[in-house]
Amino acid sequence: MPHSEANNNLEQTIACKILSLVADEEAKIILSDLPVFGANLTFREDIATLENSIVYPCQPIGWIDYSSLTKLACLNQQRYFDAQHFLKVEQHQLFFSKTVKVHTVNNDLKLSKTILTFSIVPELLNPVVVNIRK
């Protein structure tokens, strides 16, 4: 099965389902407005403001050591998905790879490694921007 076809099947499987972004138990997670040296994952200090909002692929949600992407997973009703299906890393910045709706954000990452819950926004709801030159 070609990679793009496999991705389409994955998207159909998780369409409109709420996923939890979780970190490995040993991952060091920090909230800050800048990346923190020594942390596996640094999420925006204001990440709680993303609750009940739409987050676009161009909006950074934090910073990550490249090797730490393996410390993240996405779960839905005991089903495991590799976080790389939903997240991308560019110059150590962490982004969602698709437009998502963030439902909840964990306020205390010391008590639980569940960072947030989200669902993919269907393509029909994604805004289309067209530049027309005269």
Side-chain angles (χ1 to χ4, degrees):
M1 178 181 307
H3 182 69
S4 61
E5 190 176 326
N7 283 341
N8 288 341
N9 289 343
L10 173 68
E11 287 179 29
Q12 290 170 3
T13 302
I14 53 117
C16 300
K17 292 185 180 178
I18 295 178
L19 297 152
S20 297
L21 177 62
V22 297
D24 182 291
E25 284 296 319
E26 298 173 9
K28 183 175 179 184
I29 304 172
I30 302 289
L31 296 179
S32 176
D33 57 350
L34 294 171
V36 175
F37 180 77
N40 299 111
L41 303 158
T42 305
F43 285 95
R44 294 173 24 176
E45 193 167 49
D46 67 345
I47 196 158
T49 64
L50 298 180
E51 193 165 282
N52 293 316
S53 68
I54 301 295
V55 178
Y56 297 97
C58 61
Q59 292 177 267
I61 59 171
W63 299 267
I64 189 168
D65 175 3
Y66 282 105
S67 63
S68 295
L69 195 53
T70 59
K71 294 187 180 294
L72 290 172
C74 295
L75 303 176
N76 172 266
Q77 298 176 346
Q78 307 303 327
R79 191 157 177 208
Y80 170 89
F81 297 99
D82 189 335
Q84 293 182 51
H85 292 295
F86 306 101
L87 300 170
K88 64 181 180 177
V89 178
E90 293 177 9
Q91 298 178 354
H92 294 282
Q93 285 189 312
L94 189 62
F95 302 87
F96 282 106
S97 56
K98 298 230 175 242
T99 303
V100 301
K101 176 172 183 184
V102 174
H103 298 278
T104 61
V105 176
N106 180 4
N107 291 323
D108 192 351
L109 294 170
K110 292 177 184 169
L111 293 178
S112 170
K113 293 295 182 169
T114 300
I115 300 158
L116 52 81
T117 61
F118 69 96
S119 59
I120 294 177
V121 174
E123 291 294 325
L124 298 175
L125 299 178
N126 284 340
V128 176
V129 178
V130 178
N131 289 329
I132 300 175
R133 296 180 188 207
K134 293 183 180 183

